[in-house]
Amino acid sequence: MSNTGLDAFRDNLKRLPRTFRESVVRHGPPVTDRSRSQTVFSNVFLHLHPTRIHIRTLRFSTTMALGIATLSFFLILVVTGVLLMVYYKPSVDLAYQSMKDIHYAVPTGRFIRNIHRWAAHLMVVTVILHMVRVFYTASYKSPREFNWLMGMGLFILTLGLSFTGYLLPWDQLAFWAITIGSNIAGSPREFTDALGITRWFDPGGFQKELLLGASGVGNEALIRFYLLHVMVLPLAVLWLLSVHFWRVRKDGGLGRPGGTPSLAGKGAPVPGSPPRPPAEATKKTYGLMCLVRDRKPATNLDPTDTVPSFPYLLRAELLVFMACMLIVIVLGILFDAPLKELANASVPENPAKAPWYFLGLQELVSYSAFMGGLVIPAVAVLGLALIPYLDREKEDAGVYFSGPSGKRVAWRSLAFAAVAAVAAVAIPVNFGWLRNWFPGIPQLVIILVNPGTLLTAAYVVWSLAVLRRTGSTRLSAIALFTCFLIGFAILTYVGSELRGPNWEFFWFKSQWPVH
């Protein structure tokens, strides 16, 4: 007697766990190279990884795990940010009280906020260090030029995330830091005022109103910053992160010595890898697809010294995430996020300082808001973006400073950059500047000729001198990048530690005037 519909239903019910698993996981347990590759290839969260990676990629010295650390801090920010959103109220009348509730009344609220704050700061640090590592190892070179641009975009978005989140507590620290930022956005008015054309052409006023939604920092600004912080910028970061990781895979993997596809040679063994004995050679099978020669950078590269991404790469990434989580937990326990008095537009903070990663910029702004706040940063960002397209020398990616000659240039550039940055601060502090020397000098000259612009020009001249002496665009790029990096570090230190009330210079906080 044939099975009835009820019998078939019973059989299907018995097989339900197995059929459900097979509908989700379409490969066997990841115990062989083939099944491990299928695990990566068929998983929506893992498919951005290559199925196999070179063992050098797993070495800490290759990447110092900075990319994964940045991603880890971003994920921590997303989770803690969602938890904070449950209690936060984006209104000038309620925001500060909701922050106090989070800080003092909500169970673990202060701890979650502390973790969020430290993860934000550390994400800025790791994204900067990641960019530094990529530059000094020449990992921006062909075919990775576009991915360098993606990294630049992520760097800018990271700063935007931190900047927009700074206003949300609506305390004195946040209010006046954002006031400084909005004044920088409106700084083109300084230039148009000097030309006498502001009444007809006012891009500074437009930029400031676009940022704040009004002429000053108020409820419209808080709503805009909140929307940017919790929705627009995180979605943009997720999109660029996806493209960034995907291009790492498509451009031949991470840059490493001997691993640059354009130099390794199609079909040739990776330089530096041990020879494979014939008896241990991997047996290959070929199908019809092998008759088509792909144009991807990794095509026909020898798989010697590669391992499956699952579990080796995944295990390393989880280890980095756990380390990042441990760091922010410890910092969250030891240090509380600041919460000052309720924002008051009539009682300015003195000194009113931007977040630490903008203090170097604020030092430049003290000379000229327009040049230091917009023109010099725009030139720096444009120069960084064009590096892969101006430095076209063929060389192996993954070698720090491109060898001994690059190290010598970097050390000399470090010394020059430090001396120039210290001079740019010391001369105005001790001797004043053009307005002190020539009281009647036109304002336009004051705007264009200031310590910030002269410091930038000195760095460019130094880079061109290196180019002329060595004939190498790579060494010239190392010189310029090192100069800007050291200048940024020194100006950040000056702005954070040596500037007091009225932006006056003090060696120690104990020297600040007492009111």
Side-chain angles (χ1 to χ4, degrees), residues 147-167:
N147 215 18
W148 171 263
L149 295 182
M150 293 296 98
M152 287 292 302
L154 287 168
F155 169 66
I156 294 171
L157 289 176
T158 299
L159 295 180
L161 275 171
S162 296
F163 180 69
T164 52
Y166 216 73
L167 178 63

Side-chain angles (χ1 to χ4, degrees), residues 1-16:
M1 183 177 180
S2 61
N3 290 337
T4 63
L6 187 60
D7 294 332
F9 176 77
R10 188 183 300 109
D11 292 339
N12 292 340
L13 191 61
K14 290 179 180 179
R15 291 195 296 268
L16 178 60

Side-chain angles (χ1 to χ4, degrees), residues 111-451:
F111 182 54
I112 296 298
R113 181 173 176 243
N114 293 346
I115 290 178
H116 191 78
R117 173 179 179 262
W118 281 110
H121 287 320
L122 291 173
M123 184 178 174
V124 174
V125 172
T126 53
V127 77
I128 292 174
L129 293 178
H130 180 56
M131 184 172 65
V132 170
R133 196 277 305 171
V134 170
F135 175 83
Y136 281 128
T137 57
S139 296
Y140 57 80
K141 288 181 174 288
S142 178
R144 300 181 177 92
E145 303 97 328
F146 180 73
N147 215 18
W148 171 263
L149 295 182
M150 293 296 98
M152 287 292 302
L154 287 168
F155 169 66
I156 294 171
L157 289 176
T158 299
L159 295 180
L161 275 171
S162 296
F163 180 69
T164 52
Y166 216 73
L167 178 63
L168 303 188
W170 200 249
D171 62 350
Q172 281 285 78
L173 182 66
F175 181 89
W176 289 103
I178 300 305
T179 299
I180 293 172
S182 63
N183 288 338
I184 292 175
S187 62
R189 184 171 289 180
E190 175 187 353
F191 185 70
T192 56
D193 283 345
L195 295 177
I197 60 173
T198 302
R199 59 182 299 184
W200 301 287
F201 181 65
D202 186 17
F206 172 76
Q207 287 182 173
K208 184 175 181 178
E209 188 166 347
L210 181 66
L211 179 67
L212 301 179
S215 58
V217 180
N219 198 63
E220 294 81 4
L222 182 60
I223 291 296
R224 293 192 180 202
F225 276 54
Y226 179 74
L227 181 63
L228 287 169
H229 188 70
V230 304
M231 183 182 297
V232 177
L233 295 180
L235 289 176
V237 169
L238 284 173
W239 178 67
L240 283 187
L241 274 175
S242 301
V243 177
H244 191 59
F245 281 109
W246 181 253
R247 287 303 295 257
V248 169
R249 174 182 172 182
K250 291 300 181 182
D251 292 340
L254 298 175
R256 63 181 187 276
T260 304
S262 61
L263 298 177
K266 299 295 184 180
V270 178
S273 61
R276 180 188 302 172
E280 299 178 8
T282 303
K283 295 182 180 180
K284 299 179 181 179
T285 56
Y286 298 89
L288 181 61
M289 290 295 292
C290 295
L291 300 178
V292 181
R293 186 179 184 87
D294 197 7
R295 297 181 181 179
K296 299 293 188 299
T299 301
N300 278 352
L301 291 185
D302 196 284
T304 303
D305 292 337
T306 64
V307 294
S309 294
F310 185 93
Y312 300 101
L313 178 58
L314 182 62
R315 186 166 55 198
E317 291 173 340
L318 290 176
L319 181 62
V320 173
F321 177 80
M322 292 170 63
C324 293
M325 194 69 205
L326 177 62
I327 291 171
V328 295
I329 287 175
V330 172
L331 292 174
I333 293 173
L334 296 178
F335 304 100
D336 283 342
L339 185 64
K340 290 198 170 186
E341 299 82 6
L342 176 66
N344 189 340
S346 61
V347 182
E349 284 283 293
N350 193 11
K353 293 189 177 184
W356 67 266
Y357 36 85
F358 287 134
L359 284 176
L361 189 66
Q362 190 173 349
E363 179 67 22
L364 295 177
V365 166
S366 67
Y367 307 135
S368 168
F370 175 63
M371 295 299 295
L374 291 180
V375 176
I376 294 176
V379 170
V381 170
L382 180 62
L384 285 173
L386 292 178
I387 282 175
Y389 303 96
L390 298 178
D391 174 20
R392 307 298 294 175
E393 295 178 11
K394 300 296 184 181
E395 66 176 274
D396 202 5
V399 178
Y400 279 93
F401 302 100
S402 301
S405 58
K407 292 180 181 179
R408 288 192 295 270
V409 168
W411 279 112
R412 293 167 182 168
S413 300
L414 184 152
F416 174 81
V419 171
V422 170
V425 175
I427 293 175
V429 166
N430 291 283
F431 306 105
W433 196 244
L434 297 181
R435 181 67 71 192
N436 305 96
W437 306 339
F438 312 103
I441 194 171
Q443 181 62 24
L444 191 60
V445 177
I446 297 294
I447 294 173
L448 298 177
V449 183
N450 63 77

